[in-house]
Amino acid sequence: MPTTLEVKTPRLVTALPGPNAKRVLEQDAKFMSPSYTRDYPLVAKRGLGAIVEDVDGNSFLDFAAGIAVCSTGHCHPKVVAAIQKQAAELIHMSGTDFYYESMPQLAERLVRTMPGAESKKVFFTNSGTEAIEGAIKLARYATKRDKMIAFYGCFHGRTMGALSLTASKSTQRKGFGALLGGIGHIPYPYAYRCAHGHTAETCGAEILEQLEGQIFKRLFDPEDVAGIIIEPIQGEGGYVPAPKFFLQELQRICRQHGIMFIVDEVQSGMGRTGKWWASEHAGIEPDILCSAKGIASGMPLGAIMARESVMLWKPGSHGTTFGGNPVCLAAALATMDLIESEYKENARRMGEYLFGRLADWTKNFNIVGDVRGRGLMIGIEIVRDQRTKEKAADLRNAIVDLAFHKGLLVLGAGENTIRLSPPLLIDQEQADFAARTLEECFREAGKKI
């Protein structure tokens, strides 16, 4: 009989949460910060591939991947071997003050994935929010300007600079006082809820007109704007893709005014959409690109990649103690090997397969308003009424909980969207299980209307 982690689909052996999980939940409530958000009582103990086992021996199919982090699955043998080998050789010296052989090796691999003829340079961080913080500083340093423009619905992190850009949920900002000044926000092109009735290919023209005709004339002179930052597919905002033309026009506007065009690919990058970067689908060439999450299969690593003519800051202008840690670099090099050789293509193929399975869901389920995304970055928006598009956060939350109790791990995004962001190695059997399980959950949740 196979062990729990050798199965490809869930196996539940206790009620959820189980007795060991309950004990951990009690301890967590006593000692952990209440700022953490948990959607359901999963107490993970081990993982392999797309399967996670909890402390009671229940196994789950993971379609969240640690919030799109475990790109090559849990504990991929090649990633584990790279981590173990490096940990036995050198754990830390600090790449800010010394050199690691693997640091320029990974940087070279990363810049080869970037579009555009100009040479690129890389700065390594510990996380996505640190990458965004560094991008803010780099944009200011490179342009000698101080204003920034971001989009409503965006999530760029929770440290003070990144939080100043973030406009996802008010609770993320409430209680922290004045944030970084000189930051403005404009609407994101959200085709399903486009106020002008545009399609997914045409939504956003009025936003660009607002940027040039209102923001630049009434709030920020474009010569004062250091950077405009955008997620090519909003993550926490609800897995909303920006139209190709919108990204292309935004790049044109930035180039016209000498503004740094910054792309946040922390959640959408590293092969998740079937290409290295989601922005590749639009054929754009960002001045600065931020990555993290899936870059090292679960080890804490982020990266700022920029055109060489942009990354000209002097020694000491920016630094980090732990960013680019050699153990994380080893994990990232192994991760890139796997994504390049097989998982990027698998993400494209399995994404197409899942979208084929989901194509009729807006017709089959009256609570499904929209299905969108690219590759294995899929958002399913839940509504109370397809005609009015009334958001149904309660139904979305109920579906997430129902899925957990059926052995499928998913998370919400935005106010009322379910996100599917599985490891990039899932196969058709696992995709079918996830689709069938969600269909069951939709039918059960639909009865609550």
Side-chain angles (χ1 to χ4, degrees):
M1 184 175 180
T3 64
T4 301
L5 289 179
E6 289 174 340
V7 300
K8 291 172 63 177
T9 52
R11 189 176 69 185
L12 303 179
V13 297
T14 73
L16 299 176
N20 292 326
K22 288 180 179 179
R23 185 163 58 251
V24 175
L25 296 175
E26 291 174 359
Q27 187 179 27
D28 188 278
K30 185 175 181 180
F31 293 107
M32 296 305 300
S33 166
S35 63
Y36 291 107
T37 57
R38 276 73 173 257
D39 286 333
Y40 39 78
L42 171 71
V43 182
K45 183 174 184 179
R46 58 174 64 91
L48 184 65
I51 297 295
V52 173
E53 184 182 294
D54 75 1
V55 289
D56 293 290
N58 298 295
S59 65
F60 302 83
L61 179 60
D62 185 4
F63 260 56
I67 318 181
V69 167
C70 300
S71 52
T72 62
H74 294 278
C75 300
H76 193 288
K78 291 184 178 179
V79 176
V80 171
I83 291 170
Q84 291 173 333
K85 181 176 183 295
Q86 182 59 55
E89 292 178 352
L90 180 69
I91 293 177
H92 174 76
M93 272 296 292
S94 182
T96 292
D97 295 293
F98 305 98
Y99 297 90
Y100 301 131
E101 183 179 17
S102 54
M103 188 172 277
Q105 287 176 347
L106 178 59
E108 182 182 9
R109 292 282 300 276
L110 285 169
V111 300
R112 286 207 307 262
T113 70
M114 293 280 289
E118 184 179 339
S119 297
K120 314 293 191 304
K121 287 186 179 291
V122 179
F123 182 96
F124 289 113
T125 69
N126 299 287
S127 66
T129 192
E130 284 187 25
I132 298 299
E133 292 281 350
I136 296 171
K137 291 177 66 178
L138 180 58
R140 285 182 162 193
Y141 192 97
T143 62
K144 304 298 184 283
R145 306 171 181 181
D146 66 344
K147 304 296 190 291
M148 296 285 295
I149 295 174
F151 290 82
Y152 290 119
C154 68
F155 181 88
H156 298 296
R158 288 186 173 90
T159 52
M160 293 299 274
L163 180 61
S164 303
L165 297 173
T166 292
S168 180
K169 299 180 178 71
S170 61
T171 186
Q172 295 159 349
R173 287 169 159 252
K174 184 179 179 181
F176 298 112
L179 300 177
L180 192 66
I183 292 179
H185 290 85
I186 57 177
Y188 189 90
Y190 190 167
Y192 177 63
R193 297 184 178 278
C194 182
H196 302 278
H198 290 299
T199 68
E201 290 75 34
T202 61
C203 180
E206 290 79 9
I207 298 170
L208 296 169
E209 291 173 4
Q210 177 186 351
L211 174 63
E212 293 188 286
Q214 299 294 325
I215 303 299
F216 284 169
K217 289 184 178 180
R218 302 180 187 277
L219 293 178
F220 297 155
D221 188 291
E223 292 187 0
D224 290 332
V225 178
I228 297 177
I229 184 168
I230 189 169
E231 297 166 277
I233 302 177
Q234 279 200 339
E236 305 307 305
Y239 274 34
V240 183
K244 292 180 182 180
F245 94 91
F246 187 88
L247 294 172
Q248 292 167 353
E249 280 297 292
L250 198 62
Q251 176 177 271
R252 180 193 61 78
I253 292 168
C254 287
R255 296 281 192 271
Q256 178 183 342
H257 298 290
I259 297 168
M260 292 295 101
F261 183 39
I262 307 170
V263 175
D264 180 346
E265 294 258 20
V266 169
Q267 188 160 176
S268 60
M270 297 308 294
R272 177 147 297 280
T273 65
K275 293 183 181 290
W276 278 113
W277 312 108
S279 51
E280 288 184 74
H281 294 281
I284 57 174
E285 299 178 9
D287 298 302
I288 303 171
L289 186 148
C290 296
S291 177
K293 287 192 182 293
I295 196 172
S297 296
M299 296 297 288
L301 184 68
I304 307 166
M305 289 162 271
R307 293 189 292 111
E308 188 173 21
S309 59
V310 171
M311 196 172 276
L312 291 175
W313 43 16
K314 302 299 182 184
S317 300
H318 196 55
T320 172
T321 299
F322 294 108
N325 171 275
V327 181
C328 299
L329 294 173
L333 285 165
T335 297
M336 287 199 73
D337 286 342
L338 291 163
I339 294 174
E340 187 170 49
S341 64
E342 53 186 318
Y343 293 150
K344 178 158 59 75
E345 171 59 20
N346 191 64
R348 183 197 64 78
R349 188 172 61 251
M350 284 295 98
E352 287 183 359
Y353 180 77
L354 269 171
F355 273 107
R357 284 290 311 260
L358 279 53
D360 294 330
W361 281 12
T362 55
K363 299 176 183 176
N364 297 341
F365 303 102
N366 59 10
I367 62 171
V368 175
D370 192 32
V371 178
R372 55 183 177 251
R374 285 188 182 275
L376 291 178
M377 188 173 186
I378 301 171
I380 306 166
E381 184 158 348
I382 307 302
V383 296
R384 199 169 305 280
D385 184 301
Q386 288 181 334
R387 183 182 58 81
T388 65
K389 300 182 181 180
E390 180 187 349
K391 298 176 181 179
D394 57 333
L395 295 180
R396 189 276 308 274
N397 296 341
I399 291 167
V400 170
D401 187 67
L402 284 167
F404 167 66
H405 284 87
K406 296 178 186 295
L408 178 67
L409 305 180
V410 296
L411 290 172
E415 293 180 57
N416 59 312
T417 296
I418 295 168
R419 80 179 88 183
L420 304 184
S421 58
L424 307 186
L425 50 61
I426 62 162
D427 61 19
Q428 186 171 318
E429 179 184 350
Q430 292 168 324
D432 284 335
F433 177 88
R436 287 196 307 271
T437 301
L438 286 172
E439 286 172 341
E440 293 173 11
C441 295
F442 292 156
R443 281 191 286 269
E444 291 183 42
K447 295 176 183 177
K448 300 178 183 292
I449 297 178

